[in-house]
Coordinates of all heavy atoms in Angstrom, one line a residue:
M1 N 126.5 95.3 117.9 CA 125.3 95.8 118.3 C 124.1 95.0 117.7 O 124.2 94.6 116.5 CB 125.2 97.3 118.0 CG 123.9 98.0 118.4 SD 123.8 99.7 117.9 CE 125.1 100.4 118.7
S2 N 123.2 94.7 118.6 CA 122.1 93.9 118.0 C 120.7 94.7 118.3 O 120.7 95.7 118.9 CB 122.0 92.5 118.7 OG 121.7 92.7 120.1
G3 N 119.7 94.1 117.7 CA 118.5 94.8 117.7 C 117.4 93.8 117.3 O 117.6 92.6 117.4
M4 N 116.3 94.3 117.0 CA 115.2 93.4 116.6 C 114.2 94.1 115.7 O 114.1 95.3 115.7 CB 114.4 92.7 117.8 CG 113.6 93.7 118.7 SD 112.8 93.0 120.0 CE 111.5 92.1 119.2
I5 N 113.4 93.3 115.0 CA 112.4 93.9 114.1 C 111.1 94.1 115.1 O 110.7 93.2 115.8 CB 112.0 92.8 113.0 CG1 113.3 92.6 112.1 CG2 110.8 93.3 112.2 CD1 113.8 93.8 111.4
E6 N 110.6 95.3 114.9 CA 109.3 95.5 115.7 C 108.2 95.7 114.7 O 108.3 96.4 113.7 CB 109.6 96.8 116.4 CG 108.4 97.2 117.3 CD 108.7 98.5 118.1 OE1 109.5 98.5 119.0 OE2 108.0 99.6 117.8
V7 N 107.1 95.1 115.0 CA 105.9 95.1 114.1 C 105.1 96.2 114.6 O 104.7 96.3 115.7 CB 105.2 93.7 114.1 CG1 103.9 93.8 113.3 CG2 106.0 92.6 113.8
T8 N 104.6 97.1 113.6 CA 103.8 98.2 114.0 C 102.5 98.2 113.2 O 101.8 99.2 113.0 CB 104.6 99.6 113.6 OG1 104.9 99.4 112.2 CG2 105.9 99.7 114.4
I9 N 102.1 97.0 112.9 CA 100.8 96.8 112.2 C 99.6 97.4 113.1 O 98.7 98.1 112.6 CB 100.5 95.3 111.9 CG1 101.6 94.8 110.9 CG2 99.1 95.1 111.3 CD1 101.6 93.3 110.8
K10 N 99.6 97.1 114.4 CA 98.5 97.6 115.3 C 98.5 99.1 115.2 O 97.4 99.7 115.1 CB 98.8 97.1 116.7 CG 97.7 97.5 117.6 CD 97.9 97.0 119.1 CE 96.8 97.4 120.0 NZ 97.0 96.9 121.3
D11 N 99.7 99.8 115.3 CA 99.6 101.2 115.2 C 99.0 101.8 113.9 O 98.2 102.7 113.9 CB 101.0 101.8 115.3 CG 101.8 101.5 116.7 OD1 101.0 101.3 117.6 OD2 103.0 101.4 116.6
M12 N 99.3 101.1 112.8 CA 98.8 101.6 111.6 C 97.3 101.3 111.5 O 96.5 102.1 111.0 CB 99.4 100.8 110.4 CG 100.9 101.2 110.2 SD 101.1 102.9 109.9 CE 100.2 103.2 108.3
R13 N 96.8 100.1 112.0 CA 95.4 99.7 112.1 C 94.6 100.8 112.9 O 93.6 101.3 112.5 CB 95.3 98.3 112.6 CG 93.8 97.9 112.8 CD 93.6 96.6 113.3 NE 94.2 96.4 114.7 CZ 93.7 96.8 115.8 NH1 92.6 97.5 115.8 NH2 94.3 96.5 116.9
L14 N 95.2 101.1 114.1 CA 94.5 102.1 114.9 C 94.4 103.5 114.3 O 93.4 104.2 114.4 CB 95.2 102.1 116.3 CG 95.1 100.9 117.1 CD1 95.9 101.0 118.4 CD2 93.6 100.6 117.5
E15 N 95.5 103.9 113.7 CA 95.6 105.2 112.9 C 94.5 105.3 111.8 O 93.9 106.4 111.6 CB 96.9 105.4 112.2 CG 98.0 105.8 113.2 CD 99.3 106.1 112.5 OE1 99.3 106.4 111.2 OE2 100.4 106.0 113.1
R16 N 94.1 104.1 111.3 CA 93.2 104.1 110.2 C 91.7 103.9 110.8 O 90.8 103.9 110.1 CB 93.4 102.9 109.2 CG 94.8 102.9 108.6 CD 95.0 104.2 107.8 NE 96.2 104.1 106.9 CZ 97.4 104.6 107.2 NH1 97.6 105.2 108.4 NH2 98.3 104.6 106.5
G17 N 91.6 103.6 112.1 CA 90.3 103.4 112.7 C 89.7 102.1 112.4 O 88.4 102.0 112.3
I18 N 90.5 101.1 112.2 CA 90.0 99.7 111.7 C 90.2 98.8 113.0 O 91.2 98.8 113.6 CB 90.8 99.2 110.6 CG1 90.6 100.2 109.3 CG2 90.3 97.8 110.2 CD1 91.5 99.8 108.2
S19 N 89.1 98.0 113.3 CA 89.2 97.0 114.4 C 90.0 95.8 113.9 O 90.1 95.6 112.7 CB 87.8 96.6 114.8 OG 87.1 95.9 113.8
Q20 N 90.4 95.0 114.8 CA 91.0 93.7 114.5 C 90.1 92.9 113.7 O 90.4 92.2 112.7 CB 91.4 92.9 115.7 CG 92.8 93.4 116.3 CD 93.2 92.4 117.4 OE1 92.4 91.7 118.0 NE2 94.5 92.4 117.6
N21 N 88.8 92.8 114.1 CA 87.8 92.0 113.3 C 87.7 92.6 111.9 O 87.6 91.7 110.9 CB 86.4 92.1 114.0 CG 86.4 91.3 115.2 OD1 87.1 90.4 115.4 ND2 85.5 91.7 116.1
E22 N 87.6 93.8 111.7 CA 87.5 94.4 110.3 C 88.7 94.1 109.5 O 88.7 93.8 108.3 CB 87.3 95.9 110.4 CG 87.1 96.6 109.1 CD 85.9 96.2 108.3 OE1 85.0 95.5 108.8 OE2 85.7 96.7 107.1
L23 N 90.0 94.2 110.1 CA 91.1 94.0 109.4 C 91.2 92.5 109.0 O 91.6 92.2 107.9 CB 92.4 94.3 110.2 CG 93.8 94.1 109.5 CD1 93.9 94.9 108.2 CD2 94.9 94.4 110.5
A24 N 90.8 91.6 109.9 CA 90.8 90.2 109.6 C 89.9 89.9 108.4 O 90.2 89.2 107.5 CB 90.4 89.4 110.8
R25 N 88.7 90.5 108.4 CA 87.7 90.3 107.3 C 88.3 90.9 106.0 O 88.3 90.2 105.0 CB 86.4 91.1 107.6 CG 85.3 90.8 106.6 CD 84.1 91.7 106.9 NE 84.3 93.1 106.6 CZ 84.4 93.6 105.4 NH1 84.4 92.9 104.3 NH2 84.6 95.0 105.3
L26 N 88.9 92.1 106.1 CA 89.5 92.7 104.8 C 90.7 91.8 104.3 O 90.9 91.8 103.1 CB 89.9 94.1 105.1 CG 88.8 95.0 105.3 CD1 89.4 96.4 105.8 CD2 88.0 95.3 104.1
M27 N 91.4 91.2 105.3 CA 92.6 90.4 104.9 C 92.3 88.9 104.6 O 93.1 88.2 104.1 CB 93.6 90.4 106.0 CG 94.2 91.7 106.4 SD 95.4 92.2 105.1 CE 96.6 90.9 105.2
E28 N 90.9 88.6 104.8 CA 90.5 87.2 104.6 C 91.3 86.3 105.4 O 91.8 85.2 104.9 CB 90.5 86.9 103.2 CG 89.6 87.7 102.3 CD 89.7 87.4 100.8 OE1 90.7 86.9 100.3 OE2 88.7 87.8 100.1
M29 N 91.5 86.6 106.7 CA 92.2 85.7 107.7 C 91.4 85.8 109.0 O 90.6 86.6 109.2 CB 93.7 86.1 107.8 CG 94.0 87.4 108.3 SD 95.7 87.8 108.6 CE 96.4 87.5 107.0
S30 N 91.9 84.9 109.9 CA 91.2 84.9 111.3 C 91.7 86.0 112.1 O 92.8 86.5 111.9 CB 91.6 83.5 111.9 OG 92.9 83.4 112.3
V31 N 90.9 86.4 113.0 CA 91.2 87.4 114.0 C 92.5 86.9 114.8 O 93.4 87.8 115.1 CB 90.1 87.7 115.0 CG1 90.5 88.7 116.1 CG2 88.9 88.3 114.2
S32 N 92.6 85.7 115.1 CA 93.7 85.1 115.9 C 95.0 85.3 115.1 O 96.1 85.6 115.7 CB 93.6 83.7 116.3 OG 93.5 82.8 115.3
H33 N 94.9 85.2 113.8 CA 96.1 85.4 113.0 C 96.5 86.8 112.9 O 97.7 87.2 113.1 CB 95.9 84.8 111.5 CG 97.1 84.8 110.8 ND1 98.1 83.9 110.9 CD2 97.6 85.6 109.7 CE1 99.1 84.1 110.1 NE2 98.7 85.2 109.4
V34 N 95.6 87.8 112.8 CA 95.9 89.2 112.9 C 96.4 89.5 114.2 O 97.4 90.2 114.3 CB 94.6 90.1 112.7 CG1 94.9 91.5 113.0 CG2 94.1 89.9 111.2
R35 N 95.9 88.9 115.3 CA 96.5 89.2 116.6 C 98.0 88.7 116.7 O 98.8 89.4 117.3 CB 95.7 88.5 117.7 CG 95.9 88.9 119.1 CD 95.0 88.3 120.1 NE 93.6 88.8 119.8 CZ 92.5 88.0 119.5 NH1 92.7 86.7 119.5 NH2 91.4 88.5 119.3
K36 N 98.3 87.6 116.2 CA 99.6 87.1 116.1 C 100.6 88.0 115.4 O 101.7 88.3 115.8 CB 99.7 85.6 115.6 CG 99.2 84.6 116.5 CD 99.3 83.3 115.8 CE 98.6 82.2 116.7 NZ 98.6 80.9 116.0
L37 N 100.1 88.5 114.3 CA 100.9 89.5 113.5 C 101.2 90.7 114.3 O 102.3 91.2 114.3 CB 100.2 89.8 112.2 CG 100.1 88.7 111.1 CD1 99.2 89.1 110.0 CD2 101.5 88.4 110.6
E38 N 100.2 91.3 114.9 CA 100.3 92.5 115.6 C 101.2 92.4 116.9 O 101.8 93.4 117.2 CB 98.9 93.0 116.1 CG 98.1 93.5 114.9 CD 96.8 94.2 115.4 OE1 96.4 94.1 116.6 OE2 96.2 94.8 114.5
T39 N 101.2 91.2 117.5 CA 102.0 91.1 118.7 C 103.4 90.4 118.5 O 104.0 90.0 119.4 CB 101.2 90.3 119.8 OG1 100.8 89.0 119.2 CG2 99.9 91.0 120.2
N40 N 103.7 90.3 117.2 CA 105.0 89.7 116.9 C 105.2 88.3 117.4 O 106.3 87.9 117.7 CB 106.1 90.7 117.4 CG 107.4 90.6 116.6 OD1 107.3 90.3 115.4 ND2 108.5 91.0 117.0
K41 N 104.1 87.5 117.3 CA 104.1 86.1 117.7 C 104.2 85.2 116.5 O 103.8 84.1 116.6 CB 102.8 85.8 118.5 CG 102.6 86.6 119.7 CD 103.2 86.0 121.0 CE 102.7 86.5 122.2 NZ 103.5 87.4 122.9
T42 N 104.8 85.7 115.5 CA 105.1 84.9 114.3 C 106.5 85.1 113.9 O 107.2 86.1 114.2 CB 104.1 85.3 113.2 OG1 104.3 84.5 112.0 CG2 104.3 86.8 112.8
S43 N 107.1 84.1 113.3 CA 108.5 84.2 112.9 C 108.8 84.8 111.5 O 109.8 85.1 111.2 CB 109.2 82.8 113.0 OG 108.5 81.9 112.1
S44 N 107.7 84.9 110.8 CA 107.7 85.5 109.4 C 106.4 86.0 108.9 O 105.4 85.6 109.5 CB 108.3 84.4 108.4 OG 107.4 83.4 108.3
I45 N 106.5 86.9 108.0 CA 105.3 87.5 107.4 C 105.5 87.3 105.9 O 106.4 87.9 105.3 CB 105.0 88.9 107.8 CG1 104.9 89.1 109.3 CG2 103.7 89.4 107.1 CD1 104.7 90.6 109.7
P46 N 104.7 86.5 105.3 CA 104.9 86.3 103.8 C 104.6 87.6 103.0 O 103.9 88.5 103.5 CB 103.8 85.2 103.5 CG 103.4 84.6 104.7 CD 103.7 85.6 105.8
F47 N 105.3 87.7 101.9 CA 105.2 88.9 101.0 C 103.7 89.1 100.7 O 103.3 90.2 100.6 CB 106.1 88.8 99.8 CG 107.5 89.0 100.0 CD1 108.5 88.2 99.5 CD2 108.0 90.0 100.8 CE1 109.8 88.3 99.8 CE2 109.3 90.3 101.1 CZ 110.2 89.4 100.5
E48 N 103.0 88.0 100.4 CA 101.6 88.1 100.0 C 100.8 88.8 101.1 O 100.0 89.7 100.9 CB 101.0 86.8 99.7 CG 99.5 86.8 99.3 CD 98.9 85.5 99.0 OE1 99.7 84.5 98.9 OE2 97.7 85.4 98.9
T49 N 101.1 88.5 102.4 CA 100.4 89.1 103.5 C 100.8 90.5 103.6 O 100.0 91.4 103.9 CB 100.7 88.3 104.8 OG1 100.3 87.0 104.7 CG2 100.0 89.0 106.0
L50 N 102.1 90.8 103.5 CA 102.6 92.3 103.6 C 101.9 93.0 102.5 O 101.5 94.2 102.6 CB 104.0 92.3 103.4 CG 104.9 91.9 104.6 CD1 106.4 91.8 104.3 CD2 104.7 92.9 105.8
N51 N 101.8 92.5 101.3 CA 101.1 93.2 100.2 C 99.7 93.5 100.5 O 99.2 94.7 100.3 CB 101.2 92.3 98.9 CG 100.8 93.0 97.7 OD1 101.2 94.1 97.3 ND2 99.7 92.4 97.0
K52 N 99.0 92.5 101.0 CA 97.6 92.7 101.4 C 97.4 93.9 102.5 O 96.6 94.7 102.5 CB 96.9 91.5 101.9 CG 96.5 90.5 100.8 CD 95.7 89.4 101.5 CE 95.1 88.4 100.4 NZ 94.4 87.3 101.1
L53 N 98.3 93.7 103.5 CA 98.3 94.7 104.6 C 98.5 96.2 104.0 O 97.8 97.1 104.4 CB 99.4 94.4 105.7 CG 99.1 93.3 106.6 CD1 100.3 92.8 107.3 CD2 98.0 93.8 107.6
C54 N 99.5 96.3 103.1 CA 99.8 97.6 102.5 C 98.6 98.1 101.7 O 98.3 99.3 101.8 CB 101.0 97.5 101.6 SG 102.5 97.4 102.5
C55 N 97.9 97.2 101.1 CA 96.7 97.6 100.2 C 95.6 98.0 101.2 O 95.0 99.1 101.0 CB 96.4 96.4 99.4 SG 95.0 96.8 98.3
V56 N 95.3 97.2 102.2 CA 94.2 97.4 103.1 C 94.4 98.7 103.9 O 93.5 99.5 104.2 CB 93.9 96.2 104.0 CG1 92.9 96.5 105.1 CG2 93.4 95.1 103.1
L57 N 95.6 98.9 104.4 CA 96.0 99.9 105.3 C 96.5 101.2 104.6 O 96.8 102.2 105.2 CB 97.0 99.5 106.4 CG 96.4 98.3 107.4 CD1 97.6 97.9 108.3 CD2 95.3 98.9 108.1
D58 N 96.6 101.1 103.2 CA 97.1 102.2 102.4 C 98.4 102.7 103.0 O 98.5 103.9 103.4 CB 96.0 103.3 102.3 CG 96.5 104.3 101.3 OD1 97.2 104.0 100.3 OD2 96.1 105.5 101.5
C59 N 99.4 101.9 103.0 CA 100.8 102.3 103.6 C 101.9 101.5 102.9 O 101.6 100.7 101.9 CB 100.8 101.9 105.1 SG 100.7 100.2 105.5
E60 N 103.0 101.8 103.3 CA 104.3 101.1 102.8 C 104.7 100.1 103.8 O 104.4 100.1 105.0 CB 105.4 102.2 102.6 CG 105.1 103.3 101.7 CD 105.0 102.9 100.3 OE1 105.8 101.9 99.8 OE2 104.1 103.4 99.5
V61 N 105.5 99.1 103.3 CA 106.0 98.0 104.1 C 106.8 98.6 105.3 O 106.6 98.1 106.5 CB 107.0 97.1 103.4 CG1 107.6 96.0 104.3 CG2 106.2 96.3 102.3
G62 N 107.5 99.6 105.1 CA 108.3 100.3 106.2 C 107.4 100.9 107.4 O 107.9 101.2 108.4
D63 N 106.1 101.1 107.0 CA 105.2 101.6 108.0 C 104.7 100.5 109.0 O 104.2 100.8 110.0 CB 103.9 102.2 107.3 CG 104.3 103.4 106.5 OD1 105.2 104.2 106.9 OD2 103.6 103.6 105.5
L64 N 104.9 99.2 108.5 CA 104.4 98.0 109.3 C 105.4 97.4 110.1 O 105.1 96.7 111.0 CB 103.8 97.1 108.2 CG 102.7 97.5 107.4 CD1 102.3 96.5 106.4 CD2 101.5 97.9 108.2
I65 N 106.7 97.5 109.7 CA 107.9 96.9 110.5 C 109.0 97.8 110.5 O 109.2 98.7 109.6 CB 108.3 95.6 109.8 CG1 108.6 95.7 108.3 CG2 107.2 94.5 110.0 CD1 109.2 94.5 107.7
K66 N 109.7 97.8 111.6 CA 110.9 98.6 111.7 C 112.0 97.9 112.5 O 111.7 97.0 113.3 CB 110.6 100.0 112.3 CG 110.2 100.0 113.7 CD 109.9 101.4 114.2 CE 109.4 101.4 115.6 NZ 109.2 102.7 116.2
Y67 N 113.3 98.3 112.3 CA 114.4 97.8 113.0 C 114.7 98.7 114.2 O 114.8 99.9 114.0 CB 115.6 97.6 112.1 CG 116.8 97.1 112.8 CD1 116.9 95.8 113.1 CD2 117.8 97.9 113.1 CE1 118.0 95.3 113.8 CE2 118.9 97.4 113.8 CZ 119.0 96.1 114.1 OH 120.1 95.6 114.8
V68 N 114.7 98.1 115.4 CA 114.9 98.8 116.6 C 116.3 98.3 117.2 O 116.4 97.1 117.5 CB 113.8 98.7 117.6 CG1 114.1 99.5 118.9 CG2 112.5 99.1 117.0
K69 N 117.3 99.2 117.2 CA 118.5 98.9 117.9 C 118.3 98.6 119.3 O 117.5 99.2 120.0 CB 119.5 100.0 117.7 CG 119.9 100.3 116.2 CD 120.9 101.5 116.1 CE 121.1 101.7 114.6 NZ 122.0 102.9 114.5
E70 N 119.2 97.7 119.9 CA 119.1 97.3 121.3 C 119.1 98.5 122.2 O 118.3 98.6 123.1 CB 120.2 96.4 121.6 CG 120.1 95.8 123.0 CD 119.0 94.8 123.3 OE1 118.6 94.2 122.3 OE2 118.5 94.8 124.4
K71 N 119.9 99.4 122.0 CA 120.0 100.7 122.8 C 118.7 101.4 122.8 O 118.3 101.9 123.9 CB 121.1 101.5 122.3 CG 121.6 102.6 123.2 CD 122.8 103.3 122.5 CE 123.5 104.2 123.5 NZ 124.6 105.0 122.9
E72 N 118.0 101.5 121.7 CA 116.7 102.2 121.6 C 115.6 101.5 122.4 O 114.8 102.1 123.0 CB 116.3 102.4 120.2 CG 117.2 103.4 119.4 CD 117.0 103.4 117.9 OE1 115.9 103.0 117.5 OE2 117.8 104.0 117.2
R73 N 115.6 100.1 122.3 CA 114.6 99.4 122.9 C 114.7 99.4 124.4 O 113.7 99.6 125.1 CB 114.7 97.9 122.6 CG 114.1 97.5 121.2 CD 114.1 96.0 121.0 NE 115.2 95.3 121.6 CZ 115.1 94.1 122.3 NH1 114.0 93.7 122.6 NH2 116.2 93.6 122.7
V74 N 115.9 99.5 124.9 CA 116.1 99.6 126.4 C 115.6 100.9 127.0 O 115.1 101.0 128.0 CB 117.7 99.3 126.7 CG1 117.9 99.6 128.2 CG2 118.1 97.9 126.3
S75 N 115.8 102.0 126.2 CA 115.5 103.3 126.7 C 114.0 103.6 126.6 O 113.5 104.6 127.1 CB 116.3 104.4 126.0 OG 115.9 104.3 124.5
K76 N 113.2 102.7 125.9 CA 111.7 102.9 125.8 C 111.0 102.6 127.1 O 111.3 101.8 127.9 CB 111.2 102.2 124.6 CG 111.5 102.8 123.4 CD 110.8 102.1 122.2 CE 111.1 102.8 120.9 NZ 110.5 102.2 119.9

């Protein structure tokens, strides 16, 4: 059985009422980089970035990424 990692950064950002521009400013990175993180258009997320995201969004790493089994992805 296979699956994939799903990035839920956008969900957390929206729950907190923070725009992409604001998150980029707080993270000290470009909006395009935030967009890439949110749309899973990156092959990795450095621990330093995860740490900043958790601090800015007041959450745990598990709130930002999750493993979705193939069966679950198909049914969505």
